[in-house]
């Protein structure tokens, strides 16, 4: 199997486990500015695109990353991934019809990423949302990326590179590597950080205007939302960033502007030195509560 046939459209969605879905729904709708349109007491769907959902929140005892959904470029790209995982002995489980229908996805498989235990879901199409996303106070352009920490960071990177056809865009010392799901042009849809355990670092929403960042700064303060890093600028992706905590303490990032890569002729990955300015060229530093909450749920406990 040629790994180049494994091609992605985009980071599809993130599923989080939250302790109080109604409270989190209100937060993501009213404070973050994504659209909530469907759900029940235990599971809610939110979107910031024309797809059925970009974020799913499910009730659970401990805040966690439940899974990450990757939208493949085509059914053939999905088949290539499934075949490759079969060849290397990584089990892929088809999502059963009832759940796929609830998630409005077709042709879907899950696996446990072998180095972090994180659940990755792959599908070739998701239905459109019943109503197109209309921005309110913030022009959220898309779900941008997810960062996980891994106790086996080099192996995680290697798995994503060699078996999932991700590409490295940049690294900061041995601490964090930013990867794009090829050929999606965004600098990164996934980041892997060094950590003692597999943990969720943060989820990111991209915004269309620097004013969205400035307004967020004031909105978070008015609503007593903890701001944990920024505003600042990441020299890696060249984005202006702003991090805050959701009601469970999960770190959420807004970012404005991000380098994009062509499919062919992309620049080489860069290695940034491990100094604070490689994380924030404006000289800020994160609060102690930055990236502290979020277990990684395994497939068997999902
Ligand atoms: C501080 C974190 C790990 C970080 C650093 C750089 C970027 C970027 O280049 O966009 C991020 O998105 C981050 O979350
Ligand atoms: Fe980020």
């Amino acid at each position: 199997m040629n790994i180049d046939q494994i091609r992605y459209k985009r980071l599809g969605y993130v599923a989080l486990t939250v302790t109080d879905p109604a409270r989190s729904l209100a937060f993501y709708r009213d404070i973050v500015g994504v659209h909530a349109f469907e759900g029940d007491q235990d599971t809610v769907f939110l979107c910031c695109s024309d797809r059925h959902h970009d974020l799913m929140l499910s009730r659970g005892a401990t805040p966690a990353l439940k899974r990450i959904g990757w939208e493949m470029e085509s059914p053939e790209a999905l088949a290539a991934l499934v075949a490759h995982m079969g060849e290397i002995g990584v089990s892929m489980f088809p999502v059963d019809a009832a759940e796929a229908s609830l998630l409005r996805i077709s042709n879907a498989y899950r696996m446990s990423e072998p180095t972090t235990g994180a659940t990755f879901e792959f599908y070739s199409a998701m239905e459109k949302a019943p109503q197109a996303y209309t921005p309110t106070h913030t022009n959220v352009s898309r779900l941008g990326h997810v960062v996980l920490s891994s106790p086996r960071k080099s192996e995680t990177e290697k798995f994503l590179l060699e078996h999932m056809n991700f590409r490295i865009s940049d690294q900061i010392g041995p601490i964090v590597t930013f990867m794009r799901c090829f050929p999606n042009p965004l600098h990164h849809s996934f980041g892997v950080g060094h950590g003692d355990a597999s943990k969720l670092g943060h989820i990111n929403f991209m915004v269309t205007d620097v004013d969205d960042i400035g307004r967020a700064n004031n909105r978070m303060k008015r609503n007593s939302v903890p701001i944990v890093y920024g505003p600042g600028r990441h020299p890696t992706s060249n984005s202006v960033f702003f991090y805050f905590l959701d009601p469970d303490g999960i770190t959420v990032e807004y970012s404005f502007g991000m380098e994009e890569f062509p499919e062919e002729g992309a620049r080489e990955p860069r290695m940034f030195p491990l100094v604070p300015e490689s994380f924030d060229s404006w000289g800020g530093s994160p609060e102690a509560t930055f990236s502290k909450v979020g277990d990684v749920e395994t497939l068997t406990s999902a």
Side-chain angles (χ1 to χ4, degrees), residues 160-225:
L160 294 167
L161 271 175
E162 294 180 3
H163 300 302
M164 286 178 57
N165 198 22
F166 278 30
R167 306 289 160 95
I168 296 183
S169 297
D170 282 317
Q171 303 181 63
I172 306 180
I175 290 298
V176 60
T177 299
F178 300 102
M179 304 184 86
R180 53 192 196 280
C181 52
F182 188 80
N184 183 287
L186 290 176
H187 177 274
H188 60 286
S189 294
F190 190 75
V192 53
H194 166 79
D196 297 337
S198 296
K199 295 279 287 184
L200 174 63
H202 62 271
I203 63 168
N204 166 284
F205 293 96
M206 293 172 64
V207 298
T208 61
D209 209 306
V210 74
D211 292 342
D212 290 318
I213 302 281
R215 280 195 295 263
N217 192 22
N218 291 318
R219 184 168 67 258
M220 301 306 160
K221 287 178 182 160
R222 260 196 323 274
N223 288 280
S224 304
V225 174

Side-chain angles (χ1 to χ4, degrees), residues 145 147 178 188 202 204 234 243 253:
H145 57 265
V147 172
F178 300 102
H188 60 286
H202 62 271
N204 166 284
H234 289 313
Y243 298 83
E253 177 185 23

Side-chain angles (χ1 to χ4, degrees), residues 82-92 114 159:
V82 173
H84 181 70
M85 292 304 160
E87 280 168 14
I88 63 167
V90 172
S91 305
M92 297 280 272
F159 183 83

Side-chain angles (χ1 to χ4, degrees), residues 23-37 45-49 54-55 57 132-143 203-208 212 215-216 219-220 223 225 244 246-247 252-254:
R23 179 180 66 163
S24 294
L25 178 145
F27 176 84
Y28 283 96
R29 181 192 59 207
D30 302 339
I31 302 292
V32 178
V34 298
H35 182 190
F37 64 91
F45 293 103
L46 299 104
C47 74
C48 55
S49 67
D54 298 272
L55 178 64
L57 306 173
Y133 164 67
T134 335
T136 52
H137 49 66
T138 301
N139 288 306
V140 178
S141 57
R142 54 169 299 147
L143 173 70
I203 63 168
N204 166 284
F205 293 96
M206 293 172 64
V207 298
T208 61
D212 290 318
R215 280 195 295 263
R219 184 168 67 258
M220 301 306 160
N223 288 280
V225 174
F244 47 94
D246 89 350
V252 182
E253 177 185 23
Y254 274 153

